[in-house]
Amino acid sequence: MLDLSKLNPEQREAVTATEGPLLVVAGPGSGKTAVIAARAAYIIDQGLAEPSAVLAVTFTNKAGRELKRRLASVLGESARQVWAGTFHAFALRMLRQWGGHFGFDPDHLSVYADQGDRRTALTQALKELGLDPKGQPREALLQMISRAKDRLLWPKDVAGRDPELSAVYEAYQGVLRRRNALDFDDFLLFAVRLLEERADVARSLRCTHRYILVDEFQDVNHAQHRLLTLLAAEHGNLCVVGDPVQNLFSWRGSDIRYLLEFQRDYPNARVISLEQNYRSTQVILAVANALSAALRYGRRNLWTANPPGLPVVLRATDDPQAEAAFVVAEVQRLIAEGAVGSPGDCAVLYRTNAQARELELACLEAGLPYSVRGNNDFLARKEIRDLLAYLRLVHNPQDVVALGRVVNTPPRRLATLERRIRAGEELTLGRLEAEFPCGLKGDRSRKALRDFLEVVAVLRSMADAPPGPLIEAVLELTGYRTWLRGQEDGEARLANLESFRGFAERSEAQDLAEFLDEVSLASDLETGSDPEGLALSTIHAVKGLEWPVVFVAGLEDGLLPHARALDGLEGEGSALEEELRLCYVAVTRAVDRVYLTYARRRPGNGRSLAAMPSRFLRRMPIDLLERRAA
């Protein structure tokens, strides 16, 4: 039998209220992951459903893996049958199974998660419309298409308001369809349409997943909300867990109203609030409560039975270099004194990815192991994109974007083919094989193409191999590793490839398709010198995580709060309020110690500019702050 004795009364109620809609308002550190895991285990343990009937939608794939780990400790092997992962992962799984309804080849879909790939597809679409791509606002067009998809709008739906956008959107989708590709926003768009158009699919999924659990509900967008509504339409067993104070993604389309209006949507819903914090000291919670007091909704009064703890340290430094040096020195001091066991017990959280640079340099100079979390910029580096293009081509021979990227990388006398593909010619791997030599005239070019096709054929024969060995084969058989060694920055780029190969080796993906899906969905990718080192991360990427020691860096007006928010009006739903929620989330990641740092001067517009301490510091109780002199 499942032991619920360690849960408090509110947690037990959330676990055992199995039937019908349930909203759990859970503050940080209140044991929400334990509640979600225990609820899933309780449903299965009581014989209410088989493990496969439980669907757990989490904010990151890592959170899904952690949930399954906890379930396995209670349920054993049967926990593997519980589906746990992100909205996009679930939607992509649906399309892998039923994408044929839309004319896709589900077994060989390519995912254009990279902005560069989407831009290439859009460029082709603009050319087909007779428009000069260079004269069009391509980034803005991609954003408008993305927003339309988030609102579940198809090209015909925007035609009345914006016929030009409708035409571009339709042409863009046509390019993706020919290439058997989806972009990231397509997952939910097509998944919702599938449920709306195929009653048999909707019936099958509702029958299969009779109990739905959703984490981080405050951050769902319109498409995600619609997907949940369709899945829970018959049984109504929808349990959502969220916290309005931790709503951080309005810029990405999330809508806090779905949480605030849950009872309107489900009038018979139960509401349970979890206020007891098991993570942090009383001092840390007092600072967090003071920050939330300024919010229009979702104010928190977190409490804990934990000890009072140490004061929050506030440190001003001269510049970002000094700030980074202080952080690294303090981590080393804490380790030397035995206050923490390793660098991995500490995290540095910041508002923008650009802040990581000085911190990485300081770690490298001091020889301190580190990892950069949520570092999707890593996936945009040329060598990583080249490698992924090879893998995508192996998986989907229709992927023209991937072929155009690798056909002459490394250089192999096929620049003519590369130019033809980039100019918009729909050359696929199949066409190169069927129409050899594809207009190439020189013997060397023809031999180079033949060699290229032979290498790709060998790699495609290895498509069922685990990702790690397949990556090794790509680097060796294509000559990419040898070529890179001869480049000026080759060693650094090879190190990035090794870091990515390490990510692949740690992956639980069973084949290439699963691995490419995992990469396309990666929001919690870790890079750096050591996955167990000092964690460097944007605040947006640390939902659900905690560390004994947390440094919140760059607490300056213009960074946190961000400059874009300072121009807006204060009030409910304002950008400035969301910045305050970011600060709240950062502080509540800490178990024992919090350090707040800012620089008096920071580079900007090519020179060093005076920086003002964050206005959020004034909201913190002064008697709980320990000021450290520079």
Side-chain angles (χ1 to χ4, degrees):
M1 293 293 290
L2 183 66
D3 182 13
L4 302 181
S5 62
K6 293 182 180 179
L7 301 180
N8 66 37
E10 292 78 18
Q11 291 173 329
R12 278 197 299 275
E13 183 182 0
V15 167
T16 57
T18 58
E19 304 308 305
L22 171 66
L23 168 62
V24 181
V25 182
S30 61
K32 66 169 184 172
T33 305
V35 166
I36 293 172
R39 181 180 172 85
Y42 183 81
I43 289 168
I44 297 164
D45 185 66
Q46 294 295 303
L48 299 173
E50 294 296 317
S52 59
V54 177
L55 168 65
V57 184
T58 56
F59 190 72
T60 65
N61 289 310
K62 185 173 183 177
R65 292 192 295 270
E66 171 62 16
L67 177 60
K68 293 194 108 174
R69 186 191 67 78
R70 294 196 187 200
L71 286 173
S73 68
V74 177
L75 301 173
E77 278 300 306
S78 64
R80 296 176 64 88
Q81 300 173 46
V82 175
W83 195 92
T86 65
F87 279 102
H88 285 86
F90 180 74
L92 183 54
R93 187 184 71 155
M94 287 174 57
L95 298 177
R96 289 285 185 202
Q97 186 168 356
W98 289 293
H101 173 71
F102 301 108
F104 301 131
D105 175 1
D107 294 330
H108 298 97
L109 273 174
S110 284
V111 175
Y112 286 5
D114 178 82
Q115 184 73 355
D117 293 338
R118 292 195 292 271
R119 191 185 305 110
T120 299
L122 178 64
T123 298
Q124 178 63 23
L126 292 169
K127 288 179 179 178
E128 292 175 4
L129 292 171
L131 299 172
D132 177 10
K134 293 182 179 178
Q136 299 295 318
R138 283 177 286 182
E139 297 301 325
L141 286 169
L142 286 172
Q143 287 180 8
M144 287 188 282
I145 291 172
S146 178
R147 284 197 295 270
K149 291 181 178 182
D150 282 345
R151 294 195 295 269
L152 300 177
L153 300 176
W154 295 85
K156 63 180 177 58
D157 299 321
V158 300
R161 289 196 313 274
D162 194 335
E164 291 82 8
L165 175 63
S166 175
V168 173
Y169 181 2
E170 187 168 12
Y172 172 75
Q173 292 300 107
V175 172
L176 295 182
R177 183 178 297 276
R178 286 199 308 273
R179 297 174 179 181
N180 201 45
L182 299 172
D183 70 17
F184 194 70
D185 300 308
D186 280 329
F187 298 173
L188 293 168
L189 181 73
F190 280 99
V192 168
R193 183 172 172 179
L194 182 67
L195 292 175
E196 292 174 337
E197 294 183 352
R198 290 281 299 271
D200 59 326
V201 174
R203 191 163 47 248
S204 172
L205 286 171
R206 288 168 188 155
C207 182
T208 301
H209 300 299
R210 291 190 294 110
Y211 290 90
I212 303 174
L213 298 83
V214 185
D215 195 9
E216 308 287 2
F217 189 70
Q218 75 278 350
D219 285 321
V220 300
N221 63 22
H222 175 66
Q224 293 164 341
H225 181 260
R226 178 64 179 156
L227 183 70
L228 290 173
T229 301
L230 291 167
L231 290 172
E234 292 178 11
H235 52 69
N237 295 325
L238 176 63
C239 170
V240 302
V241 183
D243 181 5
V245 188
Q246 298 187 68
N247 169 239
L248 306 181
F249 292 94
S250 63
W251 52 273
R252 207 165 63 185
S254 74
D255 194 335
I256 187 65
R257 290 178 298 176
Y258 294 126
L259 185 146
L260 299 177
E261 298 174 0
F262 187 79
Q263 288 177 280
R264 187 202 66 180
D265 295 337
Y266 300 92
N268 62 329
R270 285 200 202 188
V271 180
I272 299 170
S273 184
L274 305 181
E275 295 279 356
Q276 182 176 359
N277 179 284
Y278 294 91
R279 175 188 297 159
S280 307
T281 66
Q282 293 179 26
V283 166
I284 293 171
L285 294 184
V287 171
N289 287 335
L291 289 170
S292 76
L295 297 171
R296 297 293 183 95
Y297 54 77
R299 295 182 184 87
R300 277 285 173 217
N301 187 26
L302 299 173
W303 64 278
T304 185
N306 294 339
L310 299 167
V312 170
V313 174
L314 176 61
R315 173 66 180 255
T317 63
D318 290 336
D319 52 36
Q321 293 82 7
E323 182 182 44
F326 165 74
V327 169
V328 169
E330 192 67 9
V331 171
Q332 291 175 319
R333 184 185 70 81
L334 292 172
I335 294 171
E337 294 179 358
V340 297
S342 71
D345 291 331
C346 306
V348 191
L349 310 182
Y350 39 81
R351 176 65 178 83
T352 67
N353 276 311
Q355 291 170 256
R357 181 175 177 274
E358 295 298 342
L359 291 160
E360 285 193 75
L361 291 174
C363 288
L364 290 169
E365 185 175 343
L368 185 71
Y370 72 95
S371 66
V372 184
R373 298 178 181 243
N375 185 17
N376 286 342
D377 288 347
F378 180 81
L379 295 176
R381 294 176 182 177
K382 182 183 184 305
E383 60 275 11
I384 304 300
R385 292 182 66 195
D386 289 345
L387 174 59
L388 285 172
Y390 272 112
L391 296 177
R392 281 172 30 201
L393 187 62
V394 168
H395 176 63
N396 175 15
Q398 297 297 112
D399 196 330
V400 176
V401 173
L403 178 61
R405 185 170 190 93
V406 302
V407 70
N408 197 46
T409 304
R412 50 171 68 93
R413 298 181 181 276
L414 296 177
T416 301
L417 283 182
E418 179 184 4
R419 284 194 296 270
R420 285 166 58 186
I421 294 171
R422 292 187 183 276
E425 189 171 347
E426 290 286 301
L427 282 175
T428 63
L429 199 60
R431 276 193 61 192
L432 291 183
E433 292 169 341
E435 300 175 13
F436 183 87
C438 298
L440 296 178
K441 301 187 182 307
D443 290 341
R444 291 183 178 182
S445 294
R446 292 182 179 191
K447 181 179 184 305
L449 177 57
R450 191 181 302 281
D451 291 345
F452 172 74
L453 293 174
E454 288 176 357
V455 166
V456 174
V458 171
L459 292 173
R460 293 190 66 201
S461 72
M462 300 174 61
D464 292 333
L470 181 57
I471 287 173
E472 177 63 25
V474 168
L475 296 178
E476 282 301 312
L477 294 180
T478 65
Y480 193 86
R481 176 181 280 137
T482 301
W483 171 72
L484 208 53
R485 284 198 180 103
Q487 305 303 301
E488 185 176 349
D489 56 351
E491 290 305 316
R493 291 166 64 185
L494 282 169
N496 290 334
L497 289 170
E498 285 304 308
S499 181
F500 185 78
R501 191 160 69 96
F503 168 73
E505 297 284 1
R506 296 190 297 273
S507 168
E508 297 179 4
Q510 299 299 306
D511 55 30
L512 178 57
E514 278 191 28
F515 179 68
L516 289 173
D517 287 352
E518 182 179 354
V519 173
S520 70
L521 295 162
S523 60
D524 43 11
L525 182 66
E526 297 178 21
T527 62
S529 63
D530 186 345
E532 302 302 320
L534 171 66
L536 310 178
S537 178
T538 61
I539 303 170
H540 283 102
V542 296
K543 299 293 286 292
L545 301 179
E546 64 178 53
W547 291 269
V549 179
V550 166
F551 295 80
V552 186
L555 271 163
E556 303 146 31
D557 276 0
L559 275 181
L560 187 61
H562 197 277
R564 287 193 299 267
L566 295 178
D567 295 331
L569 298 175
E570 295 194 40
E572 184 174 343
S574 74
L576 194 58
E577 248 200 20
E578 186 154 322
E579 295 294 308
L580 182 56
R581 295 196 292 270
L582 272 172
C583 190
Y584 173 90
V585 166
V587 168
T588 55
R589 299 309 94 196
V591 175
D592 299 315
R593 300 172 188 246
V594 171
Y595 291 81
L596 309 172
T597 67
Y598 65 91
R600 297 187 183 94
R601 302 190 70 81
R602 194 169 289 271
N605 297 322
R607 63 183 192 277
S608 179
L609 302 175
M612 291 294 294
S614 171
R615 62 192 63 196
F616 297 155
L617 292 172
R618 298 196 291 272
R619 300 192 182 277
M620 301 180 187
I622 193 168
D623 58 313
L624 300 181
L625 301 182
E626 175 190 320
R627 294 181 180 271
R628 292 269 185 94

